[in-house]
Amino acid sequence: FGLHPNAEINYFMASAKEVYSGLMAMQTGTSGDGGGMSRDDYIEKTATEIQKTIPKDELKFLKDGVPSPLEVVLLQELERYEALLQRMASNLVDLKRALKGEIGMSQALDDLGTAIFNGMLPGAWAKLAPQTEKPLGSWMDHVMRRHKQYSDWIDPNIG
């Protein structure tokens, strides 16, 4: 193509990601021998594991007086982080109910289930999270480390 070496690397990486995404989208979620876990069972199991890792305690930073610029950033980050955790928790509850047939499976819930099945970060969560290219497992590890970081930032005496 006559591209600059860096542009060529980016082109090949984007092409590989596109092919990989296409292959993932073609998965049926059923095993050939009938002895494996179904797609819905896998999604429900993974959703339950994620629910268990979501921190239950809400992080709060209370400050008397005027907060410093650093504390303003902390307050803003905590608001975003709590909104993400609330969205994750409610989405997972709804997804599990939809898998059981208790509520209808919307397109958003189907997209969430597909992302979980493929090990990718769901788009609904990515909108509320810092930009990342991490797969779901690594991203969840990051979310847990972020929770500890915020906890330590709020009260350094805890850590």
Side-chain angles (χ1 to χ4, degrees):
F1 293 99
L3 296 174
H4 183 275
N6 290 340
E8 190 174 25
I9 290 170
N10 287 336
Y11 169 77
F12 286 131
M13 286 179 61
S15 296
K17 284 181 183 178
E18 189 176 326
V19 169
Y20 176 72
S21 295
L23 289 172
M24 295 297 285
M26 290 190 287
Q27 289 188 92
T28 61
T30 58
S31 61
D33 62 358
M37 187 182 294
S38 74
R39 179 183 190 273
D40 289 352
D41 291 340
Y42 178 79
I43 292 170
E44 185 170 1
K45 177 180 172 263
T46 305
T48 301
E49 290 173 7
I50 293 171
Q51 280 180 314
K52 289 177 185 175
T53 62
I54 295 174
K56 304 292 185 248
D57 56 329
E58 184 176 350
L59 294 174
K60 293 185 182 183
F61 179 69
L62 304 174
K63 170 74 175 173
D64 293 334
V66 178
S68 70
L70 187 63
E71 292 167 341
V72 170
V73 170
L74 173 61
L75 290 168
Q76 292 171 341
E77 286 295 314
L78 288 176
E79 286 177 11
R80 289 186 194 108
Y81 182 75
E82 288 299 327
L84 171 63
L85 293 182
Q86 289 173 3
R87 169 74 59 89
M88 290 171 61
S90 67
N91 284 166
L92 291 171
V93 167
D94 289 346
L95 177 63
K96 288 172 67 174
R97 289 183 63 206
L99 289 172
K100 291 178 185 173
E102 295 175 2
I103 62 173
M105 179 70 78
S106 67
Q107 183 63 44
L109 291 176
D110 188 47
D111 291 345
L112 175 68
T114 300
I116 289 174
F117 182 72
N118 292 336
M120 304 303 290
L121 178 62
W125 300 353
K127 290 177 185 175
L128 298 174
Q131 185 176 358
T132 184
E133 294 289 324
K134 293 181 179 188
L136 184 59
S138 299
W139 183 80
M140 284 302 301
D141 291 340
H142 173 77
V143 168
M144 302 292 52
R145 287 192 311 271
R146 178 70 56 107
H147 183 78
K148 179 169 179 5
Q149 177 187 15
Y150 289 153
S151 297
D152 293 345
W153 200 5
I154 290 170
D155 188 359
N157 298 324
I158 293 176

